[in-house]
Amino acid sequence: MKDVLKFKNVSLTYQTANDEIKAIDDLSFSVKDGEFVSIIGPSGCGKSTILSLIAGLISPTKGTIEKSNDDVGYMLQKDELFGWRTVIKNVYLPLEIKKINDKEKKEYADHLLNKYGLKKFINSYPNELSGGMRQRVALIRTLVFNPSLLLLDEPFSALDYQTRLSVCDDVYKIIKEEKKTAILVTHDISEAISMSDKIIILSKRPCSVKNVIYTHLDGDTPFFKRESKNFTVYFNKIWNELTYEKN
Amino acid sequence: MKKTNYSAERQKYLLGKKKNKIFIISCRILILIAILSLWEILATLNVIDAFITSSPSKIITTAKKLFAENNLTYHMSITLYETFMGFMISAIFGYLIALLLWWSENLRNVLEPYIVVLNSLPKIALGPIIIVWFGAGIKSIIFMTIIIGIIVSIITMLNGFIATDNNKILLLKTMGASKFQILNKLVIPSSVKTFISMLKINVGLSWIGSIMGEYLVSKAGLGYLIVYGGQVFKLDLVMTATVILCFMATVMYLIVAFIEKKISKS
């Protein structure tokens, strides 16, 4: 399978009023089409910065980033739905921004809402929905213009544990069914193992790749993968990588 | 609203709520009646000097007289016009200037000390300058109203715009939104609440501006009646104008509160 994203020796230094901060140092990795990749690392190591680089919001100081397609969908920690817009209007937002008035795209949005159990709520306002539903709407909003690459920036961290597990399953299912490539940034080891095919472990700042782990687990959903035998093996491996780092 | 099938506890709770509400409203009315009747009785019994304190009955007589002479509506409309014009202009321009300052961070930083100074300056100090520049008339009063309202409007709105959730801005940027789209789709709709509170503050400030303007320079209006009444010791006139002012300011506030309800529903 071909690479949809390739980081080649990327470094990033940014300036603040007090200091010059080296956030990323010689970072190289690639993501293949259809892969679900997690990026995990100590907090403050610049995980979110990597997503900003991929989304093109900032440019690297050194190195290159190759993307097969410019369309990326970005999902943030909170759903960030606009409270004054109905669900359907929230989902159409990216189309409005890109000034696309395409019947097909709108039908695709409607289709996704129907498929993932939100048909009844298209004219509701976000505050009438549960946390899990809101996160599903946020994902569909990201999928509307059919991005080839999804960037997930700790999208479950604002949810309570129970909702988190079920939204994890929902999001995983939607991403697999719609055949998307996804990059998940998280500091939750179990979440990374249960969702991804490949886990990139980062060192602390300035971050670079410390190790890459490919996971092979039984079970088709993140929830069942958590019960798989190998789960703890992977968990301990990643735990050690991250803990040694801190010393 | 569902009406049927309330449990006994629920009914008891609702009844208690209703009773409490009735109690509060009755207390409010009672206080008003108590103050008015005490005032009236003390004035009739000559315990207080009605020449200085006036009395509710005298206020009603004065209001009727003014109304019959067609003076009251004239004075009311003058003050209302000044207040309304001042309110509208400072709200609209305050909003637009705040937008401009949100748009350009440099402009915001450059103008910051000027806004701070203008905000702390007691605007009444500009009275003589305003009169010299705009003449002794309605124009000066409206200008006074505007300068009192506009600075606070700008500061309130700008703070509202700046408080826009950065993550939502980031989200729009990842969708490739332009600055104008961020403004249009996010900053303006998310600051509706600030806009309403700006209007509410502005209602109060506009009345301060117009009455203060009339104190300084005027030939008509409720502020004029109050100053004139004070100078010739017609306290009945002063009290009447004050009561009417209370009434008008309340109505204007209620209109804004009504708009708030309409907007927050949609």
Side-chain angles (χ1 to χ4, degrees):
Chain A
M1 279 214 227
K2 68 175 176 64
D3 290 341
V4 283
L5 176 77
K6 200 162 197 168
F7 267 56
K8 275 188 190 161
N9 309 95
V10 171
S11 295
L12 179 79
T13 311
Y14 61 89
Q15 308 289 335
T16 68
N18 299 322
D19 209 355
E20 189 176 54
I21 294 167
K22 188 154 200 185
I24 297 172
D25 186 26
D26 201 25
L27 181 73
S28 302
F29 67 87
S30 61
V31 176
K32 286 187 169 50
D33 194 20
E35 236 177 358
F36 198 121
V37 177
S38 284
I39 296 177
I40 194 164
S43 54
C45 74
K47 293 179 296 241
S48 298
T49 316
I50 296 173
L51 294 191
S52 296
L53 281 168
I54 301 171
L57 296 174
I58 45 177
S59 313
T61 328
K62 267 187 223 154
T64 52
I65 299 169
E66 286 168 21
K67 275 189 283 184
S68 66
N69 196 324
D70 267 340
D71 271 344
V72 294
Y74 206 119
M75 210 173 149
L76 298 157
Q77 286 187 19
K78 290 197 207 138
D79 52 70
E80 304 298 356
L81 296 176
F82 290 5
W84 56 91
R85 284 171 169 252
T86 55
V87 165
I88 190 85
K89 288 263 177 188
N90 263 296
V91 168
Y92 286 163
L93 182 68
L95 301 180
E96 276 177 42
I97 296 293
K98 288 181 191 285
K99 299 202 175 84
I100 301 172
N101 200 358
D102 186 334
K103 216 177 159 195
E104 230 172 84
K105 290 259 161 59
K106 285 192 171 174
E107 274 169 5
Y108 179 58
D110 298 342
H111 158 79
L112 287 175
L113 287 168
N114 285 348
K115 191 168 169 190
Y116 300 111
L118 292 157
K119 192 181 181 178
K120 268 197 282 177
F121 301 98
I122 53 169
N123 290 318
S124 307
Y125 286 90
N127 60 6
E128 298 164 45
L129 307 183
S130 69
M133 283 158 86
R134 292 170 64 115
Q135 209 59 340
R136 254 184 286 161
V137 175
L139 178 61
I140 293 171
R141 176 184 60 192
T142 327
L143 293 172
V144 170
F145 57 88
N146 224 340
S148 51
L149 184 60
L150 286 180
L151 307 176
L152 313 172
D153 191 355
E154 302 193 30
F156 315 116
S157 60
L159 302 168
D160 63 82
Y161 191 67
Q162 205 185 349
T163 316
R164 195 172 174 156
L165 289 182
S166 70
V167 173
C168 239
D169 273 9
D170 284 348
V171 167
Y172 181 83
K173 192 179 122 197
I174 296 172
I175 288 174
K176 287 292 168 194
E177 273 179 26
E178 306 304 322
K179 298 191 176 59
K180 299 293 175 195
T181 313
I183 299 175
L184 169 76
V185 156
T186 180
H187 57 252
D188 183 328
I189 302 175
S190 328
E191 199 170 277
I193 302 169
S194 66
M195 291 192 82
S196 37
D197 310 310
K198 175 167 135 185
I199 300 169
I200 298 172
I201 303 170
L202 297 178
S203 65
K204 67 181 174 201
R205 205 169 66 196
C207 72
S208 55
V209 177
K210 202 173 174 217
N211 202 351
V212 177
I213 292 175
Y214 290 86
T215 58
H216 302 281
L217 292 167
D218 307 323
D220 355 312
T221 68
F223 189 83
F224 287 113
K225 283 186 180 179
R226 282 172 192 258
E227 291 172 357
S228 167
K229 269 180 284 170
N230 294 334
F231 189 85
T232 4
V233 179
Y234 289 123
F235 190 95
N236 290 335
K237 198 170 173 188
I238 298 172
W239 174 265
N240 284 335
E241 295 264 5
L242 290 172
T243 314
Y244 281 131
E245 183 64 42
K246 278 169 195 159
N247 295 333
Chain B
M1 290 278 154
K2 286 171 255 170
K3 271 183 195 169
T4 47
N5 286 336
Y6 284 146
S7 69
E9 288 86 4
R10 177 90 185 137
Q11 280 173 357
K12 206 176 159 191
Y13 170 80
L14 288 176
L15 194 69
K17 273 240 154 190
K18 205 175 171 186
K19 273 187 180 163
N20 188 257
K21 203 175 175 187
I22 293 171
F23 172 73
I24 301 272
I25 293 173
S26 332
C27 280
R28 287 175 180 166
I29 296 171
L30 276 177
I31 288 174
L32 186 67
I33 293 174
I35 292 173
L36 289 178
S37 25
L38 194 69
W39 189 2
E40 183 68 34
I41 291 165
L42 291 178
T44 328
L45 295 176
N46 274 327
V47 180
I48 53 172
D49 188 352
F51 180 68
I52 292 174
T53 61
S54 188
S55 73
S57 61
K58 281 189 170 177
I59 290 173
I60 293 168
T61 330
T62 316
K64 270 186 189 164
K65 209 178 106 200
L66 277 175
F67 195 70
E69 289 165 0
N70 214 7
N71 265 335
L72 193 57
T73 35
Y74 172 66
H75 289 295
M76 277 167 72
S77 59
I78 293 280
T79 305
L80 192 64
Y81 173 74
E82 293 157 356
T83 312
F84 185 72
M85 287 303 284
F87 171 77
M88 289 303 284
I89 294 173
S90 52
I92 292 169
F93 281 88
Y95 195 93
L96 293 178
I97 293 170
L99 275 184
L100 211 65
L101 293 177
W102 175 84
W103 188 274
S104 164
E105 200 181 340
N106 274 338
L107 187 66
R108 186 157 80 225
N109 290 336
V110 168
L111 292 184
E112 196 193 345
Y114 294 95
I115 292 174
V116 170
V117 170
L118 282 178
N119 187 38
S120 11
L121 179 79
K123 262 63 83 178
I124 187 106
L126 300 175
I129 303 174
I130 295 172
I131 294 167
V132 171
W133 287 357
F134 293 92
I138 283 187
K139 259 198 233 163
S140 285
I141 300 170
I142 294 177
F143 191 78
M144 177 65 95
T145 314
I146 294 168
I147 55 167
I148 287 179
I150 199 163
I151 302 291
V152 178
S153 302
I154 293 172
I155 294 174
T156 312
M157 273 331 296
L158 182 59
N159 284 335
F161 292 149
I162 290 175
T164 308
D165 189 342
N166 273 328
N167 283 325
K168 289 198 167 67
I169 295 179
L170 175 69
L171 180 81
L172 286 181
K173 279 186 182 164
T174 63
M175 294 173 187
S178 65
K179 196 162 184 179
F180 182 74
Q181 282 177 319
I182 292 174
L183 177 71
N184 195 19
K185 305 275 182 206
L186 175 61
V187 175
I188 290 177
S190 69
S191 61
V192 167
K193 273 196 180 135
T194 317
F195 175 63
I196 296 287
S197 54
M198 183 268 268
L199 290 186
K200 279 182 170 172
I201 298 167
N202 219 340
V203 168
L205 290 179
S206 302
W207 286 104
I208 294 176
S210 62
I211 298 299
M212 214 153 73
E214 287 181 4
Y215 280 6
L216 277 177
V217 49
S218 68
K219 299 179 190 75
L222 291 172
Y224 165 78
L225 286 185
I226 293 173
V227 173
Y228 170 76
Q231 281 165 350
V232 298
F233 254 77
K234 273 193 187 171
L235 267 298
D236 294 339
L237 190 60
V238 175
M239 290 293 186
T240 310
T242 311
V243 169
I244 291 167
L245 200 56
C246 276
F247 179 71
M248 285 168 70
T250 310
V251 170
M252 197 156 159
Y253 184 85
L254 288 178
I255 291 172
V256 174
F258 176 75
I259 294 172
E260 178 181 21
K261 232 180 177 176
K262 280 268 156 190
I263 289 179
S264 56
K265 255 186 190 171
S266 64

